[in-house]
C-alpha cells in the first residue's frame, strides 16, 4: 500500500444535490486527519484530459461558508464524451483514455475519489484500470439506481422536491376536481416515483418496473371518487411506456394524437376514460438542484469520510455504500452492471399496495 | 342600506394560494364582529345554478385548524361555462343567468363576496347586476393582472415558487455550464416573470409587454460568460411569442422544428446562437397551489375584513384593493377592463435594466 | 385468532409530525383492504377513560384533503396522568386502569393500534394486558429513542427543523464572527443533535451519551479559527449536563451565575474561554410540529399498513419497527426498557469524528 | 458633482437576510453600467479604522454563484464600538472618527454606500459629515423600524421565519390543547409581531406600541375556546413589558417568580388565569439569517441600483427608501430620529382587530 500524499477528487455525470457536501467531507478527512493535499479536478474527466490541466487545490477554508448547503458541484461536471470513444470534430471517435491517465500522472496524484452514478462509475473504473490508478467511488444519482447501495447521494433531495410538488398540486386538483399527472425523473427505475408518490399522497404510481393497464387506472380513480374525493393524483416515472409498450414521445397509436411524453399521454387517456379534467406537469431539472436534504448531507458526509479512509487503507477499486444502517463498501465490479431497479415485491411497493395505491399489475 | 343577516361567499376562476385565508377572514369578520350568518357557495357559480343548491354554512370552528395555511379553495371553483352562454349537451348555448339569481334568492342571501380574477369579476358583476344582487369583489390571481390593485391574492406565492425553482436551477446550470430556460405563468402580463426573474437571479427576462430580439439575448449571454460566469438563467412568461410574433406552440417558422411552447423555442434558438447547452423547464400548475406566502395571508386577511365592512356599509358594486400601503376599494367598472399589464417603465422593469438583465427592447 | 371488525387507534405522549399520516395509513388499510370499522380515540387514554366515551369513526373521506401533510395529531394527545396512578383532585392517586378497559369494551373494539413513544408504549401495554386487549404499537418520538426500531415517526422532521435552523444561524455567525450555540431536544439521547449537527455543519456536538471537556471545546474552536473560519457552530442536546455533571438550570457552580439551561451555560463558558462573542438559541417546540418530512410520511405509511396487517394476523403485543431497509415488528417486552441511547461508536458518531467535529471525549 | 471612479460599500449593525443581494446590486450597477471600481469594506466601520485597511475589490464574478441567496453579509459587520466614543483597553473612550475618515481617503474612495439600520445610519452619517464624505444609505433591519421607508431589507425574511414557526406550533398546540406563546424580535416596535401574528393565525398579539391587560388576554382565549378551538397562539415582541410596565427579565412583582423574559412571564400568567397548559418559545437569532425572501431580494436589488444612481447624480446625504409602490429617497436627517413605531390605527393593526385578534387596549 503506497503512501498517499496527493488525492484527487472529481464529480462525473449529471449533477445533483449533496455533491459539494461529499467534496467537503473528503477534504476535511484528508486534510484534517491525514494531512494530505487534495486536488479538485474541474469538469469531471475533462479537467485531466485537457491541457493545461484544470484543477484547484482544496483547502479547509473553502468550506467555511455555505458550501455544505449548495446544490450542484462547484467542481463542475461537463461531459464532452466517453474518453474511450471521444467524439472528434470530423465525426470520428478517438481513444483519449491515455490523456486522462497522463493528466493524473502529471498532477502526481496517488489516488482519486470519483463521485458518480452508474455510467460514470463504469467508465471511470475502466480509465483507472487502464492507468493503474487507485480509485474509490462514491455513488450519486437522483434516480437511486446504483447497485450495491441502498441510497445514492442526491436521491432524497429529489424525492423531497417531488413530494413538495404533490403538496402543491393536491389543493389545486381538489379546487378544480381534477386528475393531476406528475411526470418525474426515472428512465430505468421508479425509485423517485414510488417514494414521492407514497409520501405525496398519490392514488396511482406508474414505474418502468411494472406493467400497467389504463383500465385499472380508471377503475382506481373511480373508486377514489366513490369514496368521497373529487380529485386524484397520478405520479409517473419518465421511463414508463404507453400501455402498448411504445415510447410516448413518438407514439402515434391513437389516431392523430402526438404526445410530448408519458405524462401527456396519460393525461389524454385518463381524461377520455374517466371524463374528468386532467392536467399534467413535468418537473424536469428542478429535481436536480438546490439545497441538499438533511439525509443527503448525512450520506455525503459518511461517504466522503469513508472514501478517504479506504484510500488510506489501500482498499481501492471499490465504491462506498450505505447498507442497512451504516456505511460500508463494495467492489466496483459488482456495481457496474447497469441500473438498479426496484424489486417488485420490495417494502415500498408493498406499502403502496397496502395503502390502496394502484402501482401496476403484478408482473 | 339593507340590514344584512346572511352573506354568501364564493371563489371563481383558477385557484391559487390564499383563497381559504380570504374565506376565513370574511367569516371571522362577519360572524365575530357583525353576528351574521355566512354561506360558502360550492364550486363558484355552479353552487347557485344547480338544484339542489350546493353550499355550506361557515362557522368559526371550521377555521380552528390548518385552513389558513392550505392552498386552493375548500369551496371549490369548478367552472362549466359562462352562465350567460352556458354550453348545453346538444352544442347550443343558453342564458342560465337567472338560475344563479334564483339560487341567490332561494338561499335568502343579502349580499355576496366574490373572490375572483379579471374574468370572473366581469361575469359575476353582470350576474349580480342582472339580479340586483349586492356584490363586493376580492381580487385573486397568480398573474397579478387585475386592474385597480397593486396586488391580487395568490401572486406572491406563485412568485416564491418560481424563485425557489430558479434557486434550484442555478446550481445545476453552473455544474453543467448550461443556459436554463424557465417558462412561467403569465399569458397577458409578465408580473411573475419580472418579480421572480429579479429575485431568482435571471440574466434574461422575457414578458408579453416588451418585444425582444434573439440576437440581444445571445449578446447578453455572451457578456455574462465574458464576465466569468459559465451559465445563464432565462425566465420567460408563457404568453411571449416567437421573435417574429407567432405562437410558439404552432410555429413552424424554422424549417422542420415544431415547438412545445415558448420555452422550447428559446431553448432551441439560444443553443444554436450561443453554442451552449440549453435546457428548458415548464413549471405549470405547481405555481398555483400550496401553502400561501406570508404576504398572501396578510393580503387575504386585509381583503376579507374590508370586504365585509364594505357590505356592512352598503358600499357595493366595488372591489377591495391594495394601493400604496393600505387596503382600499375601487368601483368594479374600473376593474373589468381586461388584464393589467406591467408598465414598460415601472419600478421593477427599471430595476431589472439597472442590474443589467436583458428584459426586451425599449418599445 | 378472533375475527376483527372494529379497530381502535389512539395517539399518546408528546405530539410530533407524521401522526396523522399513521392514522391515515391505518384507516386506509383497515377500511379499504379488510373492510373493518376504525375508531379514533380522542386525547389518548382519556377518550376511553372518560364518560361519555370520546371517539370518532374514521372514514376514508376524512383523509381526502391535507391530513397526510398536517403536523400533530387530529385525535389529540392530552395526558392527565398515568391511569394506574391517576392524580385525583384531593392530591391522592387512584388506579383507573379499569376505566380504560371498560371504555374499550363499551366501544366493542377488537384491538387497538397505539401510536406512542417509549413511556406511552409501556403504560399502554400494561393497560392492554390488564384488560386482555389486543394491542399493536407504532413508535413515534422526535427523540428517536425507542428501542427495537432504527427510526420512530417524527424524528427526521425534527432533524430537518434543526438543520434548517443551523442553516440560518451560520450566516449570522459568520457576519458577526460569533460562536452560535443551539440547544435542541433530547433529554436522554443525542439522536437529534448528532444528525442535525452533522448535516447543519456544526463544529461541536454535545450529547448526553458522551462526557466532554470545556477545554476541548475551546481547542476545537481555536483550531477552526486558525483554519480560516471566523465563527463556529455548537449543537447541544438539552439533556447534557455541565462539565461537572450538574443540571445547568440549577447550577450555581460558577459564583453568582445562574443558567437558564445548558445552552446558556455553554454560551457563558465558551465566551470566557475563547474571548469570542457567543449567542445561544433554544429551539423548543418548533421541533415538534409542522408538515412531516418525506421520510416520516413514508415511515408512517409503512408502519400504519403493517400494524393493521399484524392485527389481522393476530400478531398482537408487538410493535412495528423499521430495521435495516424494511418494516418488521418486535415484541413490546423488548421495547419497554427505557430510552435508547446512541451507541458510542455508531456510524454517525464516527462520521462526526471523521469530519473533525468535537463530539465529546471517548468514554 | 465630482466624477466618481471608486465607490465603497459597507454593512453596519446587526446582520439580516438580503445584505449580500444589496452588495450584488450595487456592484452590478456600478461596474456594469458606470464602469466604476467598487470596494467592499470588511466588518463595517472597522475595515476603514484599522491599519492595514481591510477591504476587497468587488467584481462581477463574485456574484456568479449563490451570493444572491445567502443570508448575512460576506463583508462582515463586526462592531467594536462607536468611533466617536471608542472603548479603549483601559476603560476610557476615545474619538477615533478621524481614523475612519483617513481610511476612506487612503483608499481614495469618492463615496460610500452604507447598508445599515437606524443606529448605524446615524453614526455613519456623522462620520461622513465629519470627513466630508459623500454617503448614500440603504435601510436594513429585521425590525423594520427605520423612518422614511415602508420596508427595510431583512424584514420580510424575519416575518417569514416567524410565520413558519407559528405554522409549526399550531398543530402541537392543538394536539395538546395548549396556549403557545412565541416571543419574537422587536425591542421598540411590533412590526414583526403584527405581520407574523396575522399571517400565522395568532389569537393574541402584543407589541411595545400598545398597552395590554392580562384579563383581556384571558377573555380572548376563553372566547376562542367557546368558539370550538382547544388551543390558542400568542405572539409577543421581546420589547413588551409586564402588565405593570416592568422589564420582564428583572421583574419580581409576583412573589418569588423570576422571569426569563416576556414570553416566560406571559406563559406563567396565562396558565394561572386560564388553567390551560402553556408553553413559550423564544425564536432568537434564527430570525436574522438564512436565505432572503423573494421580497427582500427585490427590495435589495431596487435599493442597490437606486443607491448607485444617486451617487452618480450627486444626490448624497440621503437614504434610499420604498414608499407606496416604488423606490425613492429621503434626506438622512429625516431618518436619524430614533426607531419607527407602528401607527396605532395603521392598516395591519386594524386588520388584526378586524379578525378579532386581541392586540392590546386602545391607547
Amino acid at each position: 500500500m503506497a503512501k498517499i500524499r496527493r488525492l484527487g477528487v472529481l464529480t462525473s455525470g449529471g449533477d445533483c444535490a449533496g455533491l459539494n457536501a461529499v467534496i467537503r467531507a473528503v477534504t476535511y478527512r484528508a486534510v484534517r486527519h491525514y494531512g494530505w493535499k487534495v486536488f479538485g479536478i474541474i469538469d469531471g474527466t475533462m479537467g485531466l484530459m485537457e491541457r493545461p490541466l484544470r484543477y484547484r487545490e482544496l483547502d479547509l477554508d473553502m468550506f467555511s461558508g455555505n458550501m455544505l448547503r449548495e446544490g450542484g458541484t462547484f467542481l463542475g461536471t461537463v461531459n464532452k464524451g466517453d474518453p474511450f470513444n471521444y467524439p472528434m470534430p470530423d465525426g470520428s471517435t478517438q481513444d483519449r483514455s491515455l490523456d486522462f491517465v497522463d493528466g493524473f500522472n502529471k498532477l502526481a496524484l496517488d489516488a482519486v475519489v470519483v463521485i458518480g452514478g452508474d455510467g460514470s462509475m463504469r467508465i471511470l473504473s475502466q480509465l483507472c484500470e487502464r492507468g493503474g490508478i487507485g480509485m474509490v467511488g462514491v455513488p450519486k444519482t437522483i434516480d437511486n439506481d446504483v447497485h450495491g447501495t441502498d441510497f445514492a447521494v442526491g436521491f432524497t433531495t429529489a424525492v423531497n422536491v417531488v413530494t413538495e410538488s404533490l403538496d402543491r398540486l393536491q389543493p389545486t386538483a381538489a379546487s378544480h376536481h381534477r386528475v393531476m399527472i406528475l411526470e418525474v425523473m426515472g428512465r430505468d427505475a421508479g425509485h423517485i416515483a414510488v417514494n414521492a408518490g407514497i409520501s405525496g399522497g398519490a392514488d396511482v404510481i406508474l414505474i418502468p418496473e411494472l406493467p400497467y393497464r389504463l383500465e385499472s387506472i380508471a377503475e382506481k380513480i373511480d373508486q377514489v371518487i366513490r369514496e368521497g374525493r373529487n380529485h386524484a393524483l397520478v405520479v409517473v416515472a419518465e421511463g414508463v411506456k404507453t400501455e402498448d409498450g411504445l415510447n410516448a414521445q413518438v407514439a402515434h397509436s391513437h389516431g392523430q394524437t402526438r404526445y410530448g411524453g408519458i405524462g401527456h399521454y396519460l393525461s389524454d387517456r385518463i381524461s377520455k376514460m374517466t371524463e374528468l379534467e386532467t392536467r399534467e406537469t413535468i418537473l424536469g431539472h428542478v429535481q436536480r438542484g438546490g439545497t441538499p436534504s438533511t439525509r443527503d448531507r448525512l450520506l455525503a458526509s459518511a461517504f466522503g469520510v469513508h472514501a478517504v479512509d479506504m484510500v488510506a487503507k489501500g482498499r481501492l477499486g471499490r465504491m462506498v455504500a450505505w447498507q442497512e444502517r451504516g456505511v460500508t463498501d463494495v467492489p466496483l465490479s459488482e456495481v457496474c452492471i447497469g441500473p438498479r431497479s426496484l424489486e417488485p415485491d420490495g417494502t415500498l411497493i408493498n406499502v403502496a399496495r397496502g395503502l390502496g395505491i394502484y402501482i401496476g399489475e403484478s408482473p
Side-chain angles (χ1 to χ4, degrees), chain A residues 220-287:
Chain A
K220 166 52 62 178
I221 293 172
D222 282 349
Q223 180 205 332
V224 164
I225 302 289
R226 281 195 311 273
E227 287 173 4
R229 296 270 290 285
N230 65 7
H231 64 284
L233 300 176
V234 176
V235 177
V236 58
E238 61 184 330
V240 169
K241 306 291 185 222
T242 65
E243 190 183 31
D244 39 4
L246 301 177
N247 182 327
Q249 280 181 282
V250 297
H252 285 264
S253 51
H254 300 282
Q256 299 297 347
T257 314
R258 180 181 171 140
Y259 300 113
I262 186 67
H264 186 192
Y265 164 79
L266 289 171
S267 180
D268 177 70
R269 297 282 85 205
I270 292 172
S271 74
K272 282 173 182 145
M273 295 181 78
T274 63
E275 301 193 351
L276 293 167
E277 265 189 35
T278 58
R279 291 288 186 280
E280 76 266 21
T281 299
I282 303 167
L283 273 189
H285 290 268
V286 295
Q287 293 165 80

Side-chain angles (χ1 to χ4, degrees), chain A residues 204 206 212-222 234 266 270 273-274 358 361:
Chain A
V204 174
L206 302 182
Y212 67 93
R213 291 174 54 243
L214 287 170
E215 203 178 303
S216 302
I217 297 174
E219 276 165 20
K220 166 52 62 178
I221 293 172
D222 282 349
V234 176
L266 289 171
I270 292 172
M273 295 181 78
T274 63
Y358 176 70
E361 306 295 311

Side-chain angles (χ1 to χ4, degrees), chain A residues 2-20:
Chain A
K3 180 143 181 59
I4 302 291
R5 297 175 188 279
R6 298 166 64 93
L7 178 66
V9 57
L10 65 81
T11 45
S12 180
D15 80 304
C16 63
L19 298 176
N20 293 324

